[in-house]
Amino acid sequence: MEELWLELVDLSNNVQLLSAVFDYILDCRMLQSVSFRNCALPMIIDLPVTKKLTKRNIEIAWNPSLTWYRLNPESRSWEYKDGGGDLSADDYQTEIDTFYTMHPTVGFFFS
């Protein structure tokens, strides 16, 4: 498997599940990219495993509602996939609010 897609998952406040997902990502030896589409994720992925992503050159993309972002494994934060800089706290909150407006029941399954 070279590409993994996850959809409609709320991982924004579940560090244990988020860590398990990233551990799985690293266990997939052929994996080159992971896309989280219509998912809620934390603004900063503060997990020890993110440094290993750099060594493996795995691209992590995130599309919470409208815009695509990529994870910068060095800063562990999101940046605009088109090169528009880092995701600000205000823009992050707008994305998360839009996500929950579009998918109001998702959080109930994974909280």
Side-chain angles (χ1 to χ4, degrees), residues 38-74:
N38 292 322
C39 294
L41 295 172
M43 185 170 173
I44 299 195
I45 308 292
D46 192 17
L47 299 171
V49 72
T50 55
K51 290 184 179 183
K52 295 177 183 176
L53 295 172
T54 304
K55 294 177 185 176
R56 292 272 312 278
N57 202 24
I58 300 172
E59 181 179 338
I60 307 293
W62 176 45
N63 174 239
S65 58
L66 305 171
T67 304
W68 279 99
Y69 304 95
R70 73 173 205 89
L71 181 65
N72 179 329
E74 297 299 319

Side-chain angles (χ1 to χ4, degrees), residues 1 3 6 9 17 22 26 31 42-44 51-53 64 66-67 73 76-78 80 90 95-97 100 111:
M1 173 173 56
E3 184 175 19
L6 291 97
V9 178
L17 184 57
F22 275 84
L26 286 175
L31 198 60
M43 185 170 173
I44 299 195
K51 290 184 179 183
K52 295 177 183 176
L53 295 172
L66 305 171
T67 304
R76 300 177 180 185
S77 61
W78 299 102
Y80 290 89
D90 288 341
E95 288 282 6
I96 293 299
D97 291 345
Y100 286 119
S111 295

Side-chain angles (χ1 to χ4, degrees), residues 7-25:
E7 294 199 31
L8 287 175
V9 178
D10 182 358
L11 298 171
S12 60
N13 293 308
N14 192 330
V15 176
Q16 186 176 13
L17 184 57
L18 182 64
S19 183
V21 169
F22 275 84
D23 286 340
Y24 176 79
I25 290 168

